[in-house]
Amino acid sequence: SVITLPLLHLIAEALINFSKYAWYFTSVFNSGNEANNFYLLGFVFQSVMFILMAYYRFTPGEEDPVYDGMLNCYFLSVIALLFTPVLSQVLRVSHCFGYCQILLVPRMINREKNPTRRIVLYLLIVGLYGAKLIYDTYHLGWNGVVSYQTIFGG
């Protein structure tokens, strides 16, 4: 994997240079701190969430083919994050598959039957998403929202 990653990057860059999307390499979409870097925190976060969701997939109860389909889609999102060092635009592809977590999280919570464990699960999920939001916004400066001033500020 360590040996093939630079080779995969060169192949992907060569293929993209011959397409109409070659301008992405020199555009604002491929610049900044996250360009051509592995988004480690996002991968760890999505992996932890996937493990939680997969655990509740195999708990006793009725079969839910919609849950299975969304879980498979979310798995594609986690796998896509592995290719961010090759092309940083893969992060967008990962987000496309990751949107199913909006529906997966409530289904996962509903699969927990023990009320005490359900509260712990609520707190764990809120804590994970809150920590990631604060880290991405304040530490990484994503979307440039920290420096915004209100119209009432001086």
Side-chain angles (χ1 to χ4, degrees):
S1 154
V2 173
I3 297 170
T4 60
L5 193 58
L7 181 64
L8 188 59
H9 178 77
L10 291 174
I11 292 170
E13 190 172 322
L15 290 174
I16 292 171
N17 277 334
F18 292 114
S19 72
K20 64 181 179 180
Y21 301 105
W23 65 274
Y24 271 109
F25 284 120
T26 58
S27 73
V28 70
F29 299 111
N30 201 37
S31 62
N33 293 337
E34 71 276 358
N36 296 323
N37 289 328
F38 181 54
Y39 181 41
L40 181 62
L41 179 71
F43 178 74
V44 169
F45 174 77
Q46 285 200 11
S47 297
V48 168
M49 290 304 297
F50 177 77
I51 290 169
L52 277 171
M53 292 172 189
Y55 170 77
Y56 282 100
R57 157 57 180 95
F58 296 106
T59 55
E62 62 187 50
E63 291 289 320
D64 189 356
V66 175
Y67 188 89
D68 293 347
M70 288 189 295
L71 188 64
N72 289 335
C73 192
Y74 193 64
F75 179 69
L76 291 176
S77 173
V78 174
I79 294 301
L81 277 178
L82 291 174
F83 292 99
T84 54
V86 177
L87 184 65
S88 62
Q89 301 306 319
V90 176
L91 187 60
R92 292 179 173 195
V93 174
S94 174
H95 288 320
C96 289
F97 288 111
Y99 286 128
C100 63
Q101 68 185 313
I102 296 170
L103 300 174
L104 265 172
V105 169
R107 282 179 180 258
M108 176 181 63
I109 291 172
N110 284 338
R111 291 178 77 89
E112 177 57 59
K113 302 302 180 201
N114 185 339
T116 306
R117 288 182 64 181
R118 184 179 283 196
I119 291 171
V120 170
L121 188 60
Y122 273 126
L123 294 175
L124 178 66
I125 290 172
V126 169
L128 284 171
Y129 278 101
K132 184 177 182 305
L133 175 70
I134 290 170
Y135 180 80
D136 286 346
T137 304
Y138 289 105
H139 183 69
L140 296 180
W142 279 12
N143 303 321
V145 296
V146 176
S147 62
Y148 281 175
Q149 301 284 328
T150 67
I151 58 171
F152 304 111

